[in-house]
Amino acid sequence: MRDTPAQAPPKPPVTCWFAGLTTLDVIHRSAVRPGRNEKVTAVRQDVSAGGPAANAAVIAATLGARALLISAMGTGPVGSAARGDLEHHGVEIHDTARGREIPVAVSAVMVDDETGDRSVVSPDATLTNGLDVTAAELDTLPRPDVVLLDGHHPDLARSVLAYALALEPRPLIVLDAGRWRPVFADLLGSADVAARSADFRAPEDAAQSRAVVTTHGPDPVTWCDKDGRHGSTDVPEVVVRDTLGAGDAFHGALSVALAQGAGLEAAVEEGVRVASIRVQHIGPRSWLEYVPCA
C-alpha cells in the first residue's frame, strides 16, 4: 500500500501594521452636485470607517493577512461606530486613545452617481493630535512583516517607525504619500517604499525612499525599485462606478504582497488588480466579496 505523502502545514498569514488615521465616513451618492445654498436628495447613503490606514487594513484582512490598525478611536459614539465596521471586516485594533472618549473625525463624502468621482471634506487628524504610542505597548502586538504609515498622526508615525526600525528582522516600511505632510521629512529616508500619488510634491531637500511607486489615476502606475530598476504597470480599462478609497485599496494590496515576499513590480500589479476591482462597485464595502475571486 502506497503511503500518502504528508502535506506541508499551511503557512501562517503575514502580519501587516497600519498606523494612522481612522474616521467615520458618511457617504452620499448623488446624481447632481448641489450649488451654493442648495439641497439635493441622495440616491444612496453609506456609513463606514474611513481613513487611509483604516481602509488599507480592511483590504489586507480581506486578502488573508493579519491586519493590525494602530490608530485613535476612543470610546465615544463616532469611534465606536468606526471600530464596529473595522472589526466586522477582520481588522485587529490597537487604540492609542486608551479607553478615553475623544473627538473622531466625521468625513462628509459625495460620490457623483454618473462618473464615480468623489469629493471629501474632513478634519482628518486635527481633532486628535498628540495621541502617541509607547514601545512597551507595541511590544505586546504581533511582530509585523510590513508597516504602513499614512502620516496623519505625526507623533504616532514617528514612534511606530522608530520601533519598527529597531526590530530584528526589520519589517518593510511603506508610506502612503498621497499629499505632502511635514512629518514625511522624518519618514521618507527610512521608507522602503513610498507609494505616492501624482499630486505628491516633496521639497527639493527632502530625503528619498529606497523605492517609489506613483499612481496616476487611470493611467499606468510607474515604479522604481531599490536597485534602480524602473517601469510601469498598465491600469485595465473598466467601468468606473466609485473611486472612493481606490488608493487605499491599492496600498493595502501592495502591502500584503510585499509582506508575502513579492518584488516591487509584482506587488504593484497586485495593487492595480485590487484597486481596479474596487472602482467597479458602488459602496465602501460591497466590493470586498469580489477581491479573493479575481
Side-chain angles (χ1 to χ4, degrees), residues 22 24 72-84 95 97-106 128:
T22 299
L24 187 68
M73 274 168 267
T75 59
V78 175
S80 296
R83 179 193 298 274
D95 187 359
R98 302 175 186 87
R100 291 175 285 153
E101 183 171 346
I102 62 168
V104 174
V106 176
T128 52

Side-chain angles (χ1 to χ4, degrees), residues 47-141:
V47 179
S48 72
N55 277 335
V58 169
I59 297 353
T62 301
L63 290 168
R66 186 174 186 181
L68 179 75
L69 175 64
I70 305 172
S71 188
M73 274 168 267
T75 59
V78 175
S80 296
R83 179 193 298 274
D85 176 57
L86 293 165
E87 292 180 339
H88 176 72
H89 289 94
V91 176
E92 300 177 42
I93 297 168
H94 180 77
D95 187 359
T96 61
R98 302 175 186 87
R100 291 175 285 153
E101 183 171 346
I102 62 168
V104 174
V106 176
S107 298
V109 183
M110 176 171 282
V111 179
D112 187 303
D113 191 46
E114 180 178 353
T115 67
D117 293 335
R118 87 290 188 267
S119 302
V120 182
V121 179
S122 176
D124 291 334
T126 59
L127 303 180
T128 52
N129 277 339
L131 289 175
D132 203 351
V133 66
T134 66
E137 290 176 79
L138 296 176
D139 266 338
T140 67
L141 306 179

Side-chain angles (χ1 to χ4, degrees), residues 30 38 41 57-58 60 107 115-116 126 156 166 172 185 231 238 258 276-277 283:
S30 176
E38 181 183 6
T41 299
V58 169
S107 298
T115 67
T126 59
L156 176 66
L172 292 173
V238 298
L258 291 171
S276 296
I277 296 171

Side-chain angles (χ1 to χ4, degrees), residues 92-213:
E92 300 177 42
I93 297 168
H94 180 77
D95 187 359
T96 61
R98 302 175 186 87
R100 291 175 285 153
E101 183 171 346
I102 62 168
V104 174
V106 176
S107 298
V109 183
M110 176 171 282
V111 179
D112 187 303
D113 191 46
E114 180 178 353
T115 67
D117 293 335
R118 87 290 188 267
S119 302
V120 182
V121 179
S122 176
D124 291 334
T126 59
L127 303 180
T128 52
N129 277 339
L131 289 175
D132 203 351
V133 66
T134 66
E137 290 176 79
L138 296 176
D139 266 338
T140 67
L141 306 179
R143 291 290 178 93
D145 299 292
V146 162
V147 174
L148 178 139
L149 308 170
D150 70 15
H152 274 278
H153 291 289
D155 293 338
L156 176 66
R158 294 187 187 98
S159 294
V160 172
L161 176 62
Y163 181 86
L165 293 177
L167 291 176
E168 185 60 44
R170 184 177 78 76
L172 292 173
I173 308 298
V174 177
L175 295 189
D176 174 349
R179 46 186 160 145
W180 173 258
R181 305 179 191 285
V183 69
F184 283 134
D186 300 328
L187 308 179
L188 274 169
S190 299
D192 295 289
V193 179
R196 312 184 309 188
S197 73
D199 297 327
F200 183 81
R201 297 289 183 272
E204 290 185 2
D205 60 348
Q208 298 297 313
S209 59
R210 294 173 179 83
V212 175
V213 174

